[in-house]
């Protein structure tokens, strides 16, 4: 049987643990290690853990009961391409407000992911309207009299994405560069069954990469966006993505590395940190600011508990538990994780960095919002592309849409939560 080395030896960095002023006692170390083990070992793989996390999140937000009803228009009929689209620029994605607006409740009941906010995150809600047949960007909260087609959340970007670094020709992405020149879709989620019936995810993706949303972000935050990117929600657990077949506008540039992408979420993480704080292990040891603060907090929790297990290696229970702990954590760095597909758009420019060298780059009209929505309508309603021909063989375009909400679907064991 292979020997399990302590974390700092496996990481090749002895100085990692010198900053810890104190360890939990043996009994508390056993409790903390079992707390983390119980959280992660319950799940068979990444999709399973995400499902358990999503169920808990809905319960914490009071959205788990079947009685919940969204106030937005509950149904809509689509009989062809003759309808308009409104894109409501809602504003900042704030996580700390006491009461969520209705559109965020609907997002939580639509997306199987737990969507986080962040610095300069901005939300857009896409709705269907029969008042016009155009596509408009409106600075407002969405009216409850319209049917919601989906949600977009834009952000300045991340610093850890190997395919993106290789695409840009950079060994490392700095915070200044990401904040100034990168734009990412942290959320790009259609309501269901609009997504599955009419390839609504592709419509949301096309809207997200439009000149208008890019210009909105540039104007609001004084940016000079050159590159848009996003990643698929799931990787190896699903053979396709809503961004597939959009090669004309979004290019697949590779898959991310699978290195513990899932983390312990609240309330469990908060409970564990509070419990340790009461035992003299400061909560600030696991609190960070800036980029990837949630990932860093989770990594520090795991690192600290493993160090405590090592410190009590003379205790037989801690010694045996450390073997289980390191084995399970290593699994979440390889077999139990997923590689996500990464997609990039440079807004139709010949090279992504031309906009950064002082040249005037005229916006590519193909990326205008009207043209992108018309492109989607042509593919769905005229050419019957993207698998629509088979679907429409037994269906006409007189489709009735009604929201399919997760507080009902997640209670079905056979429900495939990948969306």
């Amino acid at each position: 049987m292979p020997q399990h080395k302590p974390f700092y030896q496996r990481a090749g960095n002895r100085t990692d643990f010198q900053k810890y002023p104190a360890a939990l006692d043996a009994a508390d170390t056993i409790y903390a290690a079992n707390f983390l083990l119980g959280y992660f070992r319950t799940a068979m793989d990444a999709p399973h853990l995400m499902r358990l996390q999503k169920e808990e999140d809905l319960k914490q937000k009071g959205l788990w009961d079947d009685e919940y009803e969204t106030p937005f228009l509950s149904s809509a009929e689509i009989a062809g391409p003759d309808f308009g689209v409104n894109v409501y620029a809602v504003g900042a994605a704030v996580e700390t407000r006491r009461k969520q607006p209705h559109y965020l409740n609907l997002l939580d009941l639509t997306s199987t992911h737990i969507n986080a906010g962040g610095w300069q995150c901005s939300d857009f809600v896409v709705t269907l309207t029969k008042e016009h047949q155009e596509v408009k960007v409106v600075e407002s909260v969405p009216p409850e009299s319209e049917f919601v087609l989906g949600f977009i959340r834009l952000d300045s970007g991340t610093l850890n994405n190997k395919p993106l670094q290789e695409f840009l020709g950079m060994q490392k992405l700095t915070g200044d560069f990401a904040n100034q020149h990168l734009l990412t879709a942290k959320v790009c989620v259609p309501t269901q069954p609009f997504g599955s019936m009419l390839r609504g995810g592709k419509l949301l993706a096309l809207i997200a990469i439009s000149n208008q949303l890019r210009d909105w972000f540039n104007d609001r935050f004084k940016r000079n966006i050159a590159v848009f990117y996003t990643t698929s929600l799931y990787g190896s657990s699903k053979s396709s993505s809503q961004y597939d077949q959009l090669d004309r506008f979004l290019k697949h540039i590779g898959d991310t590395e699978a290195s513990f992408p899932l983390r312990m979420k609240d309330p469990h993480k908060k409970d564990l940190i509070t419990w340790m704080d009461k035992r003299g292990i400061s909560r600030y040891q696991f609190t960070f600011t800036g980029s990837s603060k949630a990932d860093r907090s989770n990594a520090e929790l795991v690192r600290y508990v493993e160090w405590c297990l090592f410190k009590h290696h003379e205790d037989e229970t801690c010694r045996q538990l450390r073997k289980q702990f390191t084995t399970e954590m290593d699994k979440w760095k390889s077999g139990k994780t997923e590689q996500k597909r990464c997609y990039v758009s440079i807004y139709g420019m010949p090279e992504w960095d031309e906009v950064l060298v002082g040249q005037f780059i005229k916006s590519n009209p193909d990326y205008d919002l009207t043209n992108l929505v018309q492109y989607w309508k042509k593919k769905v309603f005229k050419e019957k592309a993207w698998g629509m021909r088979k679907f429409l063989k037994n269906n006409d375009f007189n489709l009735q849409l009604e929201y399919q909400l997760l507080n009902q679907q997640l209670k079905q064991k056979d429900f495939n939560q990948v969306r």
Side-chain angles (χ1 to χ4, degrees):
M1 178 178 296
Q3 294 294 316
H4 290 268
K5 297 180 180 179
F7 180 87
Y8 69 82
Q9 290 183 4
R10 290 187 286 117
N13 187 356
R14 275 183 185 275
T15 62
D16 272 1
F17 292 145
Q18 293 179 359
K19 61 184 177 182
Y20 297 132
L24 293 166
D25 64 28
D28 285 345
T29 295
I30 292 169
Y31 175 85
N34 278 319
F35 190 98
L36 280 162
L37 275 175
Y39 186 89
F40 287 106
R41 197 157 52 184
T42 301
M44 297 178 293
D45 50 28
H48 187 200
L49 179 57
M50 290 180 73
R51 181 177 187 134
L52 296 174
Q53 290 175 335
K54 183 65 181 184
E55 291 177 3
E56 182 63 29
D57 183 64
L58 291 178
K59 293 173 183 176
Q60 291 293 317
K61 293 176 178 176
L63 299 174
W64 184 247
D65 294 336
D66 291 342
E67 290 76 18
Y68 176 85
E69 292 184 6
T70 178
F72 292 105
L73 188 65
S74 60
S75 64
E77 183 180 87
I78 294 183
D82 297 333
F83 62 88
V85 174
N86 286 327
V87 182
Y88 290 95
V90 180
V94 181
E95 295 183 272
T96 55
R97 50 189 152 200
R98 292 184 178 180
K99 185 177 180 180
Q100 284 198 148
H102 292 305
Y103 83 88
L104 283 182
N105 288 335
L106 184 56
L107 169 60
D108 284 334
L109 288 168
T110 299
S111 171
T112 57
H113 188 57
I114 299 175
N115 300 294
W119 185 60
Q120 295 190 350
C121 268
S122 300
D123 282 342
F124 300 84
V125 181
V126 181
T127 67
L128 180 147
T129 180
K130 297 295 180 67
E131 298 296 322
H132 59 80
Q133 294 186 22
E134 305 170 29
V135 52
K136 299 180 179 180
V137 178
V138 185
E139 291 261 2
S140 171
V141 296
E144 295 176 3
S145 59
E146 295 182 7
F147 187 85
V148 177
L149 297 176
F151 312 87
I152 297 169
R153 177 169 292 175
L154 299 181
D155 185 80
S156 293
T158 186
L159 304 181
N160 185 21
N161 187 311
K162 187 175 181 180
L164 182 61
Q165 291 169 316
E166 292 177 348
F167 174 81
L168 297 173
M170 296 181 177
Q171 291 185 345
K172 183 178 180 180
L173 296 177
T174 65
D176 288 343
F177 177 85
N179 291 335
Q180 189 67 20
H181 303 303
L182 297 182
L183 187 62
T184 179
K186 291 183 73 172
V187 175
C188 193
V189 179
T191 56
Q192 297 295 342
F194 173 66
S196 58
M197 281 187 173
L198 292 175
R199 307 301 180 257
K202 298 187 189 302
L203 173 64
L204 271 289
L206 291 169
I207 292 174
I209 62 173
S210 66
N211 292 329
Q212 281 76 3
L213 265 61
R214 174 197 184 193
D215 292 343
W216 186 94
F217 205 86
N218 280 337
D219 293 341
R220 177 60 60 91
F221 300 112
K222 309 304 178 186
R223 298 293 185 248
N224 187 11
I225 301 301
V227 178
F228 171 96
Y229 78 96
T230 189
T231 57
S232 58
L233 176 59
Y234 288 80
S236 54
S237 65
K238 192 174 183 183
S239 60
S240 61
S241 164
Q242 68 185 43
Y243 306 111
D244 293 344
Q245 300 172 303
L246 291 177
D247 306 63
R248 176 178 169 184
F249 301 99
L250 272 171
K251 179 182 179 182
H252 176 227
I253 59 170
D255 298 340
T256 61
E257 294 180 314
S259 55
F260 212 98
L262 294 182
R263 56 183 181 265
M264 177 179 285
K265 296 183 180 293
D266 291 336
H268 302 86
K269 187 179 78 170
K270 182 179 179 180
D271 290 345
L272 180 58
I273 291 176
T274 300
W275 177 84
M276 288 197 292
D277 189 70
K278 291 179 179 179
R279 280 153 179 78
I281 310 302
S282 174
R283 66 175 64 251
Y284 298 107
Q285 185 171 304
F286 312 103
T287 305
F288 297 87
T289 59
S291 178
S292 304
K293 58 185 179 181
D295 289 331
R296 292 159 65 193
S297 177
N298 182 87
E300 189 64 14
L301 272 172
V302 172
R303 183 181 293 112
Y304 176 75
V305 171
E306 186 166 4
W307 176 72
C308 290
L309 287 167
F310 172 71
K311 290 285 287 185
H312 295 291
H313 65 275
E314 294 182 358
D315 182 281
E316 177 64 22
T317 301
C318 287
R319 188 162 58 250
Q320 294 300 320
L321 187 57
R322 182 166 63 89
K323 295 178 182 179
Q324 300 176 36
F325 189 87
T326 56
T327 297
E328 184 64 26
M329 296 304 122
D330 283 345
K331 286 180 180 178
W332 283 100
K333 295 177 184 177
S334 54
K336 281 192 172 185
T337 57
E338 294 202 336
Q339 292 178 287
K340 296 183 179 181
R341 302 177 185 89
C342 186
Y343 298 84
V344 163
S345 172
I346 55 175
Y347 299 96
M349 293 185 291
E351 298 291 340
W352 72 266
D353 56 352
E354 286 194 15
V355 73
L356 307 182
V357 294
Q359 299 181 21
F360 174 76
I361 304 298
K362 184 178 180 180
S363 295
N364 188 326
D366 287 346
Y367 286 75
D368 283 345
L369 198 50
T370 297
N371 291 336
L372 291 170
V373 173
Q374 289 301 320
Y375 175 81
W376 172 82
K377 286 185 176 181
K378 178 183 176 182
K379 286 292 185 181
V380 172
F381 296 102
K382 184 177 180 180
E383 296 183 3
K384 301 177 183 178
W386 302 332
M388 293 299 299
R389 188 175 301 277
K390 182 179 180 180
F391 171 77
L392 293 172
K393 187 176 182 180
N394 298 316
N395 297 274
D396 57 26
F397 271 121
N398 191 16
L399 298 177
Q400 193 74 20
L401 299 179
E402 296 182 355
Y403 302 122
Q404 296 175 351
L405 303 181
L406 290 173
N407 58 348
Q408 300 170 6
Q409 294 178 304
L410 285 172
K411 293 168 185 173
Q412 305 168 14
K413 292 185 179 180
D414 59 348
F415 170 64
N416 180 1
Q417 82 275 18
V418 180
R419 73 182 199 196

